[in-house]
């Protein structure tokens, strides 16, 4: 593919993305993208195959409660109890599908209740993170690391990143309107072909800025 053809293809894809998003009010047709839908994520866990067998029984499988924003991912009916040094949180939902590593994502408020001090990390990055105990109906799992406060982030496709004028790994500010609005810093851009446009924040951030799932926020790139 020549450089000219590649450029024309990128421009065509970007135009199509802009047109589709304008239909749902995310950007006026023909203008650069600014607005992103919000997804407020409550505490949850991801589990691997071995730990699923311990928690719910050998050969057990996750069953879908509902789809979530990212393609192929879902909230499961299965739930566990999280136990930390100082407290317990029950009915913590598992997100599917199963993953390579077990991980618990909690808010700072949850962490204080549990008595753990997890760092802000990108999902799947577990170096320097504390462990926690997961209790299911069939057994208990103690992970040595993998409890995190999830980094604020925005999922988007390469075409959407081009339209927004951002790139994978870039950190941006986000502007929130409303009575509790303001500027949210340190929001990571994540770009992949199979991502759906969505900003993920935890319940503490949602409460602080008066945000709920489905609200729209503005990416600031200047």
């Amino acid at each position: 593919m020549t450089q000219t053809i590649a450029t024309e293809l990128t421009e065509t894809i970007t135009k199509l993305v802009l047109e589709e998003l304008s239909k749902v009010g995310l950007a006026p047709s023909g203008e650069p993208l600014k607005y992103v839908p919000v997804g407020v994520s409550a505490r949850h866990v991801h589990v691997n195959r071995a730990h699923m067998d311990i928690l719910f029984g050998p050969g057990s499988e996750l069953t879908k409660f509902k789809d979530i924003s990212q393609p192929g991912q879902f909230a499961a009916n299965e739930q566990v109890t999280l136990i930390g040094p100082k407290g317990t949180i029950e009915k913590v939902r598992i997100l599917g599908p199963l993953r390579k590593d077990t991980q618990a994502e909690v808010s700072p408020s949850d962490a204080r209740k549990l008595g753990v001090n997890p760092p802000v990390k990108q999902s799947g990055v577990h170096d320097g993170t504390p462990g926690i105990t997961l209790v299911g109906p069939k057994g208990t799992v103690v992970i040595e690391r993998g409890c995190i406060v999830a980094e604020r982030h925005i999922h988007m496709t390469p075409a959407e990143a081009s339209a927004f004028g951002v790139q994978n790994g870039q950190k941006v500010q986000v502007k929130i309107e409303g009575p509790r609005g303001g500027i949210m810093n340190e929001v990571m851009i994540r770009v992949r072909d199979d991502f759906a446009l969505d900003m993920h924040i935890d319940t503490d951030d949602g409460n602080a800025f008066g945000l709920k799932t489905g609200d729209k926020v503005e990416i600031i790139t200047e």
Side-chain angles (χ1 to χ4, degrees):
M1 182 182 293
T2 67
Q3 182 63 41
T4 300
I5 295 174
T7 300
E8 291 177 351
L9 181 59
T10 299
E11 290 176 350
T12 298
I13 293 172
T14 299
K15 181 180 178 181
L16 291 172
V17 170
L18 287 168
E19 289 175 351
E20 290 300 313
L21 290 175
S22 70
K23 294 176 184 178
V24 294
L26 291 177
S29 182
E31 295 184 10
L33 295 186
K34 287 186 177 181
Y35 297 98
V36 176
V38 173
V40 180
S41 183
R43 66 183 77 99
H44 60 273
V45 300
H46 302 279
V47 298
N48 63 23
R49 176 71 263 171
H51 291 162
M52 182 73 187
D53 288 344
I54 295 170
L55 292 166
F56 294 93
S60 57
E61 298 291 345
L62 294 174
T63 59
K64 185 184 295 185
F65 173 66
K66 66 176 181 179
D67 290 316
I68 56 178
S69 63
Q70 296 309 303
Q73 299 184 25
F74 59 92
N77 289 301
E78 289 71 27
Q79 301 176 43
V80 297
T81 296
L82 291 181
I83 300 178
K86 294 184 178 180
T88 298
I89 299 178
E90 299 179 340
K91 297 182 179 179
V92 180
R93 196 172 298 277
I94 298 175
L95 298 191
L98 297 176
R99 289 198 178 183
K100 176 183 176 182
D101 296 309
T102 296
Q103 172 177 291
E105 297 183 33
V106 299
S107 71
S109 294
D110 294 333
R112 287 191 290 274
K113 180 176 181 179
L114 292 165
V116 292
N117 186 29
V120 175
K121 290 282 188 178
Q122 184 174 329
S123 181
V125 179
H126 295 164
D127 57 296
T129 61
I132 201 160
T133 299
L134 292 72
V135 180
K138 298 294 185 179
T140 297
V141 167
V142 180
I143 57 174
E144 295 182 358
R145 63 178 192 168
C147 183
I148 68 169
V149 172
E151 184 176 51
R152 301 163 176 164
H153 59 278
I154 300 173
H155 293 285
M156 61 179 67
T157 65
E160 289 162 342
S162 177
F164 277 106
V166 297
Q167 58 187 353
N168 187 51
Q170 180 179 349
K171 288 194 175 182
V172 299
Q173 293 181 315
V174 168
K175 182 179 179 182
I176 298 103
E177 302 289 351
R180 302 193 72 184
I183 302 296
M184 189 180 294
N185 297 315
E186 297 294 311
V187 182
M188 176 69 75
I189 299 295
R190 296 188 192 169
V191 180
R192 205 169 72 191
D193 289 332
D194 60 346
F195 278 160
L197 185 63
D198 197 31
M199 175 177 173
H200 285 181
I201 57 174
D202 64 27
T203 50
D204 281 8
D205 278 342
N207 291 334
F209 287 90
L211 288 169
K212 62 183 183 300
T213 295
D215 288 344
K216 295 169 187 173
V217 296
E218 179 181 353
I219 292 179
I220 301 173
T221 58
E222 297 181 357

